Amino acid sequence: MILAKVCGSVVSTSKNEKLVGYKFMIVKPIENDKEIEKYFIAVDGVGAGVGEKVLVALGSAARLGIQNPEAPVDATIVGIVDENQG
């Protein structure tokens, strides 16, 4: 699991049937309170918005984050950070 910031969204007119109803968000990892200039796409499982800090599950745990073990997902937003006391 990693900490990241939501930077935008991706609109898809056609997607895998197991992902219908989910938003795709562009996220940027955060390490040591600094954003890393690397972006990737994560399925939004919690209703995150642009500019929010989020927790992202990666790998097989990402499929469990949307409660669909058969979904073709490698990154899922599973939490929104209210406060970071690092």
Side-chain angles (χ1 to χ4, degrees):
M1 190 171 305
I2 65 166
L3 182 64
K5 180 179 179 182
V6 177
C7 299
S9 62
V10 176
V11 177
S12 174
T13 56
S14 178
K15 62 177 97 172
N16 184 286
E17 65 186 33
K18 295 179 192 310
L19 297 174
V20 172
Y22 290 103
K23 293 187 302 180
F24 296 144
M25 306 302 279
I26 303 168
V27 297
K28 182 191 296 190
I30 298 172
E31 282 185 16
N32 300 322
D33 290 329
K34 294 184 181 180
E35 296 176 17
I36 298 174
E37 290 302 318
K38 174 184 171 184
Y39 299 89
F40 62 94
I41 306 299
V43 173
D44 184 7
V46 295
V50 174
E52 291 187 301
K53 285 185 180 178
V54 294
L55 295 173
V56 180
L58 301 172
S60 61
R63 292 189 302 272
L64 300 176
I66 60 169
Q67 299 176 357
N68 186 346
E70 295 182 16
V73 174
D74 194 42
T76 300
I77 298 172
V78 295
I80 299 171
V81 177
D82 291 327
E83 216 176 302
N84 185 11
Q85 298 182 355

